[in-house]
Amino acid sequence: MKKSVAIIGGGIAGCAIARVLSKYDLDIHLIEKEADVGWGATKANTSIIHPGHEEDAAIHPLRAKFCVEGNRIWRKWAEEMDIPVSWPGELMIALDDGGMETLEHYLKLGEKNGVEGLEIMGREEIKKLEPNVNENAIAALWAPAAGLIEPWEACIALAENAADNGAKMHLNTEVKGIAVGDGKLRGLETNRGFMKVDVAINAAGLFADEISGMAGIDDFKICPRKGQYYLFSDDAMPKVKRIVHMTPTEKTKGVYAVTTVEGNLMLGPTAEDLDFDEKEERSTTEEGLDYIWENARKFLASLPPRNKVSKMFAGLRPEPPDGKYIIRAYESPWGFVNVAGIRSPGLTAAPSIAEYVAKLMEEKLDLRMAEKEGWNPFRKGMKRFSRLSDSEKQHLINRNPQYGNVVCMCKEVTEGEVVEAIERIRKLGAGITMDSIKFRTLAMFGECQGSFCRSRIASIISREAGIPLWQVSLKGDGTEYGIGDIKVLQRREKDEG
Amino acid sequence: MKAESSSKMKSRTYDMAVIGGGAAGLAGAVKAAELGMDVVVLESGERIGGIPMQCIHPGFGNFYYGENLTGPEFSERLIEKVKLTGIKCYTHAHVEGIRHVSDTENMVSVVMPAGITQIRAKTILYAAGARERHAYEIGITGDRVSGVYTAGEAQTLMDIYGIMPGKSVVIIGSGDIGLIMARRFALEGADVKAVVEMLPYPGGLQRNVVQCLEDFGIPLLTSHMVTRIVGKKRVERVILAEVDESFRAIKNSEKEIDCDTVALAAGLVPNIGKLREADIDIDSSTKGPVVNEYMETSLPGIFVAGNALAINDYVDYAAEQGEQAAIGAHLFIEGNMPSDWKPIRKGENIRLVFPHHISGGRDVKIYARVKKPVRDAVVEFPEIDKRVRKRAVMPGEMIIVNLKKQETAGIDELTLRCADGN
């Protein structure tokens, strides 16, 4: 009998693990409580693939190793799974002598970690690489290996590829308890019933401490650390050519300025430690946003006007005790594996963490990790109508006229793409929500933030999913577009009144 | 359309391609057709008629038709004329780009369910309307939850799809759209908790303040702003604060209003993305193109009208501007467009004024807005001793000044100012 493995958590770590484990002759189950993958810590991320010069291997050996390796693996994975990435390189800016010392510190760390191409440069050279850098910059550490990726896109790609290779997806599924007997893992209690599994890998992000506690391992707590961001509209100028940030502090790598893979200037994050019970607190605040603005002005020459902001958002990163990753297979209960506290550089590290987990399973759990035949490393991304040539566009429309119906004007997203996204969402077993369409098509991501197209997209969902328009949700239960049909509501009121 | 007809379209040169099938575009298209021009209308939505089609309240057409109509009635009249004149209209026609090839040739790239195509036209009337400002660009912080709509989106839901967005509502912005949506929600049984306005006075027409708020007992909170939206999944409440003279929140003035819906009527921005790409001159006060009296932009032969030109108070103005653009396009094609333009400048207390250039060769209508409200105001062009007295002027109500041909003959430039009449 094949061993069955449940991965709890459909974030970047869980999805990477699912993808790597789908190579082997195992019965893989990915369990996610939200309607879609990547909606936890993954979604609100600075989206950087770090080179690895900011990790001190003496203090955080795992973080340093996974970061450097992850940076390398992502290059291959992005190609295999058609994930949009860019490699603009990163400038760590020093504004004073203290900053200068910091640069040298990180140069040494980086060299120790085997990060290639690091170089400290003066103002003139910085200007050549990044015109939008502040006049006060005295020097910078240049790390050419730094890249950018859309984290949610990466997460969806990994999940789709894992599913193509036989991994079973369980969205809207929440683990409520873990059954243990005779020192061994027996299975998972979920809101959808009991699931008998041999191995459970806890990649539950912010909630990894709670899941671990269910297995009887309660020696750590995960602290939610809030990060707020500004995202600007497509035409907001000036942008940055490189990933730019200031010398980091102990707590955080500081405020970054990046031009995302989709071409939008993004500033952030903050680093605000919340209470342990504030794991749903994702509000933006004036103070937090002002902090970002003030800090970005310190290292950038100029910022776009604030009315060019297309979105302010915030996410929570899972912060483990002392910032240390908790990646362990336990003797008791046998079959339980923690992949917890995957804080920065978690996005970068995810592929390497996944490969490490596969090794753990072989070495610590004595699982026979036989590679199965016909594993397919490739996955095709969504068609992006706006990026096609005229002849490709015409070809697509000839095949399906829905690709000639532009529904989101800002991002030029067609009905065909929305329908394709719905098919992909169905294949994953995810919820057909406006957000899951948004992250797959970029519809509603543009200048108008959906004021024109939200009703059009909701209509397509309503038609394809066969649910009333008002029941179409933004991001799952409780976030419906409306409260009902106007006249039905009024009749009901009259009857009751 | 399949390859055959699309190639036919390519070889054809239209006199005017109209981008946007709303009031400005349709009025322009009809006028152009009446002048004998060969016109095509490109509408991105599923039908022509524009935003008035979802505005079921009256108040449309008082100037243009001399009758008080509802939005759909106003649009239907234009649609009827479009049908009678046999103007070709494409719906679901998304304009990807505009290329100004030469002063007599423009190429419009269009995506339609029938295929992609290039439309060649001697002139363009760009009438793509406006977009609504959203919560992020006006700096509202807090939770990103459901129950937040722009006013127009809420109106679409209610009056196109018949869906109720929510039952207890806070409206942000007291411009006409905010006021009308407050009444619209109240009429469908929602509890409209407040209309919140940053300015010390309502942004919309006095008529609407009375008919939409006072008649329904809806509170108007002036000199207030919503600073945060709070909720777990859906809006649960908003936090608002009083603002000082520079519109900053006053500390410790915060209060909360429980609600499940926020409708944003925080202003409109001309929707000119495709024109911006074509590199035309933009007026930073209207946020639309700089135009002459025929609504021609800085690119010869490219005209603009309606809310894509500047945010108008009445759809009637949009339709008038569309007609002026059609008259201009006709002159342009005939080679009779004037070449000597005199600037209209902004003087005291004038926030915006357009058209930005006039010829001095004909009667012309000037549209303007003041910066600050004035009682017993004098609106004047000092250079020509033209003076109009107004009982009151408000930023929310456009000032219209009709200039006669003889008044503007021989001038070099004009300055519009608005002063206290006392």
Side-chain angles (χ1 to χ4, degrees):
Chain A
M1 256 270 290
K2 267 197 249 182
K3 292 283 182 196
S4 59
V5 180
I7 299 153
I8 305 166
I12 196 74
C15 289
I17 293 167
R19 196 252 178 171
V20 167
L21 294 188
S22 74
K23 277 182 208 174
Y24 303 99
D25 205 17
L26 298 167
D27 187 17
I28 308 292
H29 298 268
L30 184 82
I31 299 167
E32 167 56 50
K33 70 179 169 60
E34 299 290 337
D36 201 354
V37 293
W39 281 7
T42 302
K43 186 170 70 170
N45 189 292
T46 319
S47 70
I48 299 170
I49 304 177
H50 293 284
H53 58 292
E54 287 162 61
E55 302 304 328
D56 189 341
I59 306 169
H60 300 295
L62 283 183
R63 268 164 55 178
K65 170 182 139 71
F66 293 148
C67 186
V68 174
E69 282 178 10
N71 182 291
R72 216 180 46 238
I73 303 172
W74 269 124
R75 291 163 201 263
K76 181 158 167 264
W77 282 23
E79 224 161 84
E80 287 174 346
M81 286 174 278
D82 200 12
I83 304 167
V85 281
S86 63
W87 301 97
E90 178 184 302
L91 287 165
M92 182 195 288
I93 306 281
L95 298 175
D96 52 30
D97 291 348
M100 198 63 208
E101 276 171 36
T102 313
L103 297 189
E104 273 157 22
H105 168 72
Y106 284 111
L107 175 65
K108 270 187 219 138
L109 280 188
E111 283 170 347
K112 227 185 275 172
N113 291 346
V115 178
E116 283 171 24
L118 293 176
E119 187 187 336
I120 291 184
M121 53 178 58
R123 194 180 320 193
E124 288 311 304
E125 286 165 291
I126 303 174
K127 277 269 174 198
K128 269 182 234 156
L129 285 172
E130 178 53 67
N132 188 19
V133 82
N134 195 292
E135 286 300 319
N136 300 332
I138 59 167
L141 177 57
W142 167 238
L148 291 163
I149 191 165
E150 278 321 347
W152 62 80
E153 174 98 35
C155 217
I156 291 166
L158 291 166
E160 286 184 351
N161 185 237
D164 269 353
N165 285 301
K168 289 165 199 77
M169 299 289 154
H170 306 264
L171 279 298
N172 284 315
T173 306
E174 189 172 354
V175 173
K176 302 279 195 185
I178 295 179
V180 176
D182 299 334
K184 278 177 86 167
L185 183 92
R186 299 294 173 188
L188 307 174
E189 318 265 4
T190 78
N191 60 335
R192 293 172 173 243
F194 187 76
M195 197 183 270
K196 194 175 164 306
V197 290
D198 301 303
V199 175
I201 300 167
N202 170 22
L206 285 166
F207 302 93
D209 50 355
E210 291 170 30
I211 297 289
S212 186
M214 292 174 195
I217 297 157
D218 53 6
D219 55 356
F220 65 92
K221 286 282 243 179
I222 300 294
C223 169
R225 181 172 285 177
K226 194 198 273 188
Q228 305 190 38
Y229 294 89
Y230 274 114
L231 185 67
F232 290 84
S233 68
D234 292 359
D235 64 341
M237 293 293 183
K239 301 182 183 184
V240 287
K241 278 169 74 180
R242 314 291 169 182
I243 299 163
V244 193
H245 70 132
M246 256 178 17
T247 44
T249 64
E250 248 172 47
K251 192 160 130 193
T252 162
K253 291 176 177 162
V255 170
Y256 281 83
V258 304
T259 298
T260 64
V261 179
E262 305 298 345
N264 303 89
L265 180 69
M266 185 165 84
L267 304 175
T270 55
E272 307 157 56
D273 284 331
L274 306 184
D275 285 339
F276 290 112
D277 59 357
E278 291 184 298
K279 291 180 176 176
E280 306 283 356
E281 214 297 287
R282 289 185 178 82
S283 68
T284 57
T285 63
E286 205 184 325
E287 303 76 50
L289 292 164
D290 285 347
Y291 168 88
I292 294 169
W293 200 268
E294 283 157 25
N295 274 277
R297 283 172 64 154
K298 286 184 193 159
F299 63 88
L300 293 184
S302 60
L303 294 175
R306 276 209 203 198
N307 63 9
K308 284 284 175 192
V309 169
S310 72
K311 183 144 197 166
M312 290 102 77
F313 63 97
L316 300 176
R317 290 108 77 183
E319 187 64 26
D322 305 320
K324 285 196 163 64
Y325 287 173
I326 302 160
I327 306 178
R328 253 190 88 178
Y330 294 83
E331 313 264 291
S332 174
W334 188 94
F336 186 73
V337 180
N338 263 330
V339 181
I342 308 304
R343 46 98 79 200
S344 178
L347 173 63
T348 312
S352 177
I353 291 174
E355 291 186 351
Y356 181 80
V357 168
K359 225 184 292 162
L360 270 187
M361 292 177 53
E362 188 162 35
E363 290 170 5
K364 302 277 179 194
L365 299 180
D366 288 332
L367 282 189
R368 211 174 59 84
M369 301 291 279
E371 290 194 23
K372 64 187 181 199
E373 262 178 58
W375 182 74
N376 177 12
F378 301 107
R379 168 260 180 192
K380 269 314 278 166
M382 284 271 310
K383 284 188 260 320
R384 292 251 189 272
F385 183 83
S386 66
R387 287 181 207 161
L388 301 178
S389 70
D390 281 1
S391 64
E392 288 168 326
K393 285 177 178 171
Q394 186 60 56
H395 183 72
L396 205 53
I397 298 171
N398 287 347
R399 263 180 35 211
N400 179 357
Q402 288 181 334
Y403 283 98
N405 182 22
V406 174
V407 289
C408 161
M409 292 179 284
C410 303
K411 289 285 186 188
E412 200 180 62
V413 179
T414 64
E415 182 181 3
E417 288 161 275
V418 175
V419 172
E420 182 188 334
I422 292 173
E423 281 162 16
R424 283 171 180 254
I425 292 165
R426 278 218 172 98
K427 240 175 126 184
L428 268 195
I432 307 171
T433 66
M434 304 248 230
D435 264 11
S436 46
I437 301 282
K438 177 166 102 175
F439 288 125
R440 283 169 180 78
T441 63
L442 302 183
M444 304 174 275
F445 241 118
E447 199 177 335
C448 86
Q449 283 292 306
S451 61
F452 280 123
C453 63
R454 225 153 59 140
S455 59
R456 297 180 185 183
I457 286 156
S459 304
I460 299 171
I461 296 177
S462 161
R463 181 190 74 206
E464 297 289 321
I467 51 173
L469 184 61
W470 67 269
Q471 276 179 14
V472 173
S473 81
L474 218 58
K475 36 191 158 191
D477 288 348
T479 65
E480 287 73 18
Y481 199 26
I483 57 169
D485 179 280
I486 285 183
K487 300 302 166 192
V488 171
L489 287 174
Q490 283 186 350
R491 274 197 298 274
R492 201 177 299 153
E493 210 162 86
K494 217 172 131 196
D495 293 346
E496 286 165 5
Chain B
M1 90 213 44
K2 297 282 175 256
E4 190 193 18
S5 55
S6 116
S7 67
K8 208 187 289 167
M9 215 160 160
K10 257 177 213 165
S11 61
R12 179 170 177 182
T13 302
Y14 287 95
D15 290 326
M16 187 162 87
V18 178
I19 299 170
L26 294 185
V30 167
K31 186 76 186 174
E34 285 169 0
L35 292 168
M37 293 163 70
D38 187 13
V39 187
V40 62
V41 175
L42 304 167
E43 163 58 42
S44 66
E46 59 187 340
R47 50 170 165 63
I48 57 170
I51 297 296
M53 295 298 274
Q54 66 184 44
C55 301
I56 61 170
H57 53 279
F60 297 80
N62 286 312
F63 306 107
Y64 194 68
Y65 289 116
E67 280 179 66
N68 189 5
L69 307 172
T70 63
E73 284 171 336
F74 184 96
S75 283
E76 286 299 344
R77 290 200 184 184
L78 285 173
I79 294 168
E80 202 52 40
K81 277 202 171 170
V82 166
K83 283 186 187 148
L84 282 174
T85 40
I87 295 166
K88 184 76 209 154
C89 292
Y90 291 99
T91 52
H92 291 297
H94 170 77
V95 170
E96 278 194 298
I98 297 166
R99 211 151 46 86
H100 188 62
V101 184
S102 72
D103 284 354
T104 51
E105 188 186 351
N106 301 285
M107 296 301 277
V108 183
S109 331
V110 188
V111 179
M112 290 187 272
I116 60 166
T117 190
Q118 296 274 328
I119 288 177
R120 186 186 291 129
K122 291 178 190 163
T123 67
I124 287 174
L125 170 53
Y126 189 88
R131 72 165 179 87
E132 300 176 274
R133 297 197 337 156
H134 52 73
Y136 301 108
E137 65 189 314
I138 61 171
I140 298 179
T141 61
D143 294 307
R144 297 160 306 290
V145 286
S146 73
V148 183
Y149 310 85
T150 60
E153 184 187 14
Q155 193 180 43
T156 306
L157 282 186
M158 293 169 83
D159 292 326
I160 302 291
Y161 296 105
I163 283 172
M164 194 63 183
K167 43 180 185 293
S168 57
V169 188
V170 167
I171 310 254
I172 298 177
S174 70
D176 291 315
I177 298 171
L179 300 174
I180 282 159
M181 283 313 291
R183 175 176 64 186
R184 191 71 197 90
F185 271 109
L187 284 171
E188 296 295 356
D191 178 10
V192 183
K193 298 286 184 81
V195 174
V196 182
E197 172 59 55
M198 215 156 68
L199 296 168
Y201 46 83
L205 303 171
Q206 189 53 36
R207 169 186 97 182
N208 285 331
V209 175
V210 175
Q211 293 175 2
C212 300
L213 301 189
E214 290 171 13
D215 289 358
F216 290 84
I218 296 168
L220 172 65
L221 296 174
T222 53
S223 296
H224 276 76
M225 69 192 273
V226 170
T227 58
R228 285 178 75 70
I229 291 172
V230 182
K232 283 207 175 59
K233 294 191 163 186
R234 198 188 159 101
V235 180
E236 290 166 22
R237 61 186 180 278
V238 295
I239 313 293
L240 53 159
E242 280 178 54
V243 296
D244 61 20
E245 281 144 16
S246 45
F247 307 120
R248 270 188 293 260
I250 297 170
K251 283 235 156 64
N252 303 320
S253 69
E254 286 89 0
K255 53 187 154 224
E256 294 182 6
I257 299 180
D258 289 343
C259 59
D260 65 9
T261 302
V262 174
L264 275 139
L268 302 173
V269 188
N271 193 12
I272 52 162
K274 300 296 169 208
L275 278 185
R276 220 187 284 128
E277 286 162 23
D279 208 18
I280 55 150
D281 293 346
I282 305 290
D283 174 352
S284 61
S285 56
T286 59
K287 300 203 165 40
V290 171
V291 294
N292 62 30
E293 73 194 38
Y294 294 101
M295 314 301 163
E296 186 187 29
T297 66
S298 58
L299 284 181
I302 298 188
F303 298 79
V304 60
N307 280 357
L309 162 58
I311 304 309
N312 288 283
D313 290 354
Y314 298 100
V315 70
D316 306 61
Y317 296 165
E320 288 166 8
Q321 291 154 9
E323 285 195 5
Q324 288 303 314
I327 294 166
H330 186 246
L331 281 182
F332 180 88
I333 290 169
E334 306 267 291
N336 292 330
M337 183 60 91
S339 57
D340 187 19
W341 296 106
K342 285 110 185 169
I344 306 253
R345 302 194 191 283
K346 289 183 280 183
E348 181 188 343
N349 196 24
I350 298 296
R351 183 155 72 86
L352 59 88
V353 58
F354 64 94
H356 306 77
H357 299 96
I358 62 168
S359 65
R362 67 199 267 268
D363 295 356
V364 55
K365 185 169 188 171
I366 307 293
Y367 306 81
R369 279 187 203 283
V370 289
K371 289 180 184 159
K372 286 189 204 115
V374 179
R375 283 190 174 282
D376 298 317
V378 174
V379 178
E380 60 177 348
F381 285 106
E383 293 93 340
I384 53 169
D385 280 337
K386 168 102 177 177
R387 239 170 233 104
V388 185
R389 286 189 172 274
K390 306 246 175 203
R391 185 122 39 93
V393 292
M394 303 267 285
E397 294 195 31
M398 264 180 165
I399 298 171
I400 305 293
V401 184
N402 290 301
L403 284 177
K404 291 267 171 245
K405 176 182 168 180
Q406 54 271 27
E407 289 174 322
T408 56
I411 52 118
D412 293 325
E413 61 172 69
L414 286 178
T415 310
L416 182 66
R417 59 193 292 268
C418 170
D420 199 320
N422 297 325

